Amino acid sequence: MASPAALLRRLGHAMIERIWRLGFAARFLAAILRFSGVSLTRPQLTVREIYFSGVLSLLIISVSGLFVGLVLGLQGFETLQRFGSTEALGILVALSLVRELGPVVAGLLFASRAGSAITAEIGLMKTTEQLKAMDMMAVNPIARVVAPRFWGGVIAMPLLAALFSAMGVLGGWLIGVVFIGVDDGAFWSQMQSGVDFRYDIVNGVIKSFVFGIAVSLIAVFEGYDCQPTAEGVSRAITRTVVTSALAILALDFVLTSFMFRGSS
Amino acid sequence: MNRATIDLWVGIFVAIGIGSLLFLALKVGNLSSSRLSNTYTLEARFDNIGGLKVRGPVKSAGVLVGRIADIHFDPENYEAVVTMSVDGRYHFPRDTIAAIYTAGLLGEQFIGLEFGGDETMLKPDETIRKTQSAVVLEKLIGQFLFNKAAEGEGAN
């Protein structure tokens, strides 16, 4: 039976540990930004990372976007039918995708598809002491390894989210117009009159951009910070996916409460 | 995987991403159609604006001609002052009536501009004189009951 003082001490220790890690992550971000020059002067490094985190995620993002759109089309039609306003299906599908589902689901998929890969790669480089070897050769591992992966993720994420939303709208159109028979003109015109470019689409893009920064930072940080053992790498990958998911959902709430205050 | 292939794939990826953004902006959003060009502002004062909201539509003959830019309360006259930004291509006579209508039974409320026959046009920042307030359902029902009661008394 531990004494209350010991319990409190353990709580305090855990808390200090968390805050220390948070501060370390912030300083890590500052270091990435400071050493980003190499990613600009040698864009080939960043392009390579866009290939690994962006191009290789194309399939999963477009297929999931299509299926989310199909489901939204079916469920939305089912509900709207009760109110006799099935023409509003377009605006329902488009707004839910552009504002929320596009950035959030694409972010979650991106974290599990690309974020985990980045963590594993950097973690394994650390375990096999490649990062140290680079340091020995006077190559800064943050500039050479971490920053390009960070920027690759930041650039790829908004594009993937836009693709997700677009595929979702096509999926909703496919179910609503082609299979069920909602009027094609009403579907698109209601959508266009209800979705504002500045208010809905730009805010969605800002969201996906913020999620891209968060996921990429978490992925490279967990990889760089992992215990240099096989178990440590696997733990770091798990932490990447869990922390990214939590960060995306929490940031989504914060951003939504600033962007859409329900005034309109 | 050599450099040229990676470059090609990243190029395709970026093109697809930008293509999706364009699709969202032009086909899903309203960037292409209802952008208002070089707008000017008009003002209107209402006794009651009902559920009118900022960014709501301003229509004339059912066509979107502007958006509501601002709504505030005038504490001196106890009136609602609605500022509209109207598309610069359209001009309205000075005796235009601004009325608040509801789209459908439960739809959003909008301002409808009913033009009169005056020869001089409204200038930017001018105030529309003739307005018609929103229909408040409770008032309408109250009036109806009042009329019914009055009828009943008349019969006696």
Side-chain angles (χ1 to χ4, degrees):
Chain A
M1 198 65 191
S3 68
L7 273 177
L8 281 176
R9 205 175 298 139
R10 205 178 299 161
L11 183 70
H13 182 73
M15 192 72 210
I16 289 170
E17 192 84 348
R18 292 272 148 72
I19 294 174
W20 185 83
R21 269 177 70 84
L22 202 64
F24 186 33
R27 281 176 55 201
F28 191 65
L29 177 63
I32 291 175
L33 294 180
R34 203 167 71 226
F35 295 120
S36 288
V38 177
S39 330
L40 294 177
T41 50
R42 289 174 64 191
Q44 202 56 42
L45 289 174
T46 315
V47 167
R48 217 180 119 77
E49 297 313 322
I50 295 178
Y51 177 81
F52 282 119
S53 54
V55 176
L56 296 183
S57 308
L58 270 181
L59 193 67
I60 183 173
I61 289 284
S62 42
V63 171
S64 344
L66 190 67
F67 274 107
V68 166
L70 293 174
V71 169
L72 269 179
L74 271 180
Q75 294 280 20
F77 181 80
E78 174 75 19
T79 310
L80 287 173
Q81 201 179 22
R82 295 182 200 177
F83 305 105
S85 50
T86 49
E87 287 78 21
L89 187 66
I91 182 171
L92 174 95
V93 170
L95 275 188
S96 23
L97 276 164
V98 169
R99 280 187 178 183
E100 287 297 330
L101 287 173
V104 170
V105 179
L108 293 175
L109 289 171
F110 183 75
S112 27
R113 166 68 186 75
S116 58
I118 292 173
T119 308
E121 203 181 2
I122 298 179
L124 213 62
M125 277 181 162
K126 188 181 179 185
T127 312
T128 52
E129 304 200 324
Q130 291 180 47
L131 296 182
K132 261 184 202 154
M134 273 184 191
D135 233 353
M136 285 292 178
M137 294 186 287
V139 176
N140 186 340
I142 291 187
R144 177 65 180 75
V145 173
V146 173
R149 281 169 179 71
F150 176 76
W151 288 114
V154 170
I155 294 169
M157 181 55 213
L159 298 173
L160 288 173
L163 176 67
F164 188 95
S165 301
M167 289 304 286
V169 169
L170 284 181
W173 173 80
L174 206 63
I175 279 288
V177 176
V178 178
F179 289 130
I180 296 181
V182 175
D183 184 56
D184 191 35
F187 183 88
W188 290 110
S189 72
Q190 287 246 348
M191 191 188 288
Q192 282 168 3
S193 68
V195 180
D196 187 64
F197 177 72
R198 168 72 197 80
Y199 190 66
D200 297 314
I201 296 177
V202 171
N203 275 348
V205 171
I206 292 172
K207 267 187 183 178
S208 61
F209 191 64
V210 173
F211 296 163
I213 294 175
V215 171
S216 308
L217 177 65
I218 290 168
V220 292
F221 174 71
E222 291 291 356
Y224 199 80
D225 184 51
C226 77
Q227 298 278 338
T229 58
E231 200 195 342
V233 175
S234 91
R235 272 210 206 133
I237 297 168
T238 311
R239 268 208 306 269
T240 296
V241 176
V242 173
T243 319
S244 301
L246 288 177
I248 286 172
L249 295 172
L251 277 173
D252 183 46
F253 172 70
V254 173
L255 288 174
T256 305
S257 56
F258 274 108
M259 288 170 175
F260 308 105
R261 292 191 180 172
S263 63
S264 140
Chain B
M1 186 74 71
N2 66 21
R3 207 165 150 153
T5 331
I6 288 184
D7 282 355
L8 176 67
W9 273 107
V10 171
I12 293 171
F13 169 65
V14 174
I16 289 177
I18 291 173
S20 321
L21 264 181
L22 279 180
F23 171 76
L24 290 177
L26 298 177
K27 188 82 183 168
V28 176
N30 53 6
L31 191 62
S32 54
S33 52
S34 64
R35 279 283 109 160
L36 304 168
S37 50
N38 35 18
T39 56
Y40 65 96
T41 55
L42 288 178
E43 237 181 47
R45 292 162 172 273
F46 294 95
D47 293 333
N48 190 336
I49 57 163
L52 205 66
K53 280 174 184 133
V54 175
R55 285 183 353 102
V58 177
K59 293 183 180 180
S60 184
V63 180
L64 185 82
V65 294
R67 293 217 173 262
I68 294 162
D70 182 47
I71 297 173
H72 65 267
F73 183 66
D74 174 13
E76 276 170 27
N77 299 319
Y78 303 107
E79 281 175 329
V81 182
V82 177
T83 315
M84 299 168 263
S85 53
V86 180
D87 196 308
R89 285 174 296 175
Y90 308 123
H91 294 279
F92 295 94
R94 290 195 57 181
D95 57 349
T96 295
I97 301 172
I100 298 178
Y101 295 116
T102 310
L105 197 59
L106 299 167
E108 59 175 352
Q109 289 191 306
F110 64 93
I111 292 185
L113 297 178
E114 314 247 341
F115 34 83
D118 205 317
E119 306 243 312
T120 50
M121 295 288 165
L122 280 167
K123 288 187 196 69
D125 298 323
E126 233 174 330
T127 305
I128 296 176
R129 295 281 168 75
K130 294 177 186 166
T131 61
Q132 181 188 321
S133 290
V135 175
V136 180
L137 211 58
E138 288 87 342
K139 267 191 192 170
L140 211 65
I141 294 172
Q143 219 163 31
F144 176 73
L145 290 178
F146 188 75
N147 285 350
K148 273 282 171 202
E151 265 174 39
E153 266 169 33
N156 284 340

